[in-house]
Amino acid sequence: MTRRLHLSWQAPPSVEYIIERTAHEYGITLAQIYGDGRCGEFVIPRHEACLRAHEQGYSLGQIGRPLGRDHTTIINAIRRAKERRSNANE
């Protein structure tokens, strides 16, 4: 009797999908989340999208590329999003 190993594997969502989904959840446009705006209305969702992509295993470069940002900006975004989540749970 031969057993077959059946693995169910699904690729993680793309970075672009994560960014677009996050923008939709926060009620902002794609232009706003991808843009250079620094007001909290746009920055908080952008940071959250970076954290979500990082949690899916994407590298800093893979996250920053579609957003037009470098890896140090992504490190800061992830750190700030984690702080926000931590403060929200307190």
Side-chain angles (χ1 to χ4, degrees):
M1 179 168 143
T2 304
R3 288 185 168 212
R4 288 186 180 182
L5 180 61
H6 181 32
L7 300 175
S8 177
W9 183 82
Q10 185 176 6
S14 69
V15 174
E16 291 83 0
Y17 177 80
I18 293 168
I19 293 168
E20 291 169 12
R21 186 73 197 141
T22 304
H24 178 74
E25 288 175 19
Y26 279 84
I28 63 172
T29 67
L30 294 180
Q32 291 167 328
I33 201 165
Y34 281 106
D36 293 332
R38 292 189 190 182
C39 79
E41 182 182 359
F42 311 140
V43 171
I44 292 170
R46 191 179 303 135
H47 288 179
E48 181 64 26
C50 291
L51 178 55
R52 290 177 183 183
H54 184 69
E55 290 171 340
Q56 290 293 321
Y58 288 103
S59 71
L60 302 173
Q62 289 172 315
I63 299 166
R65 207 165 292 116
L67 291 167
R69 285 153 174 87
D70 67 17
H71 72 284
T72 58
T73 303
I74 303 306
I75 290 169
N76 183 58
I78 291 168
R79 181 180 56 81
R80 289 185 181 265
K82 284 181 178 179
E83 287 173 2
R84 257 186 232 100
R85 281 188 185 178
S86 177
N87 291 338
N89 290 334
E90 291 178 358

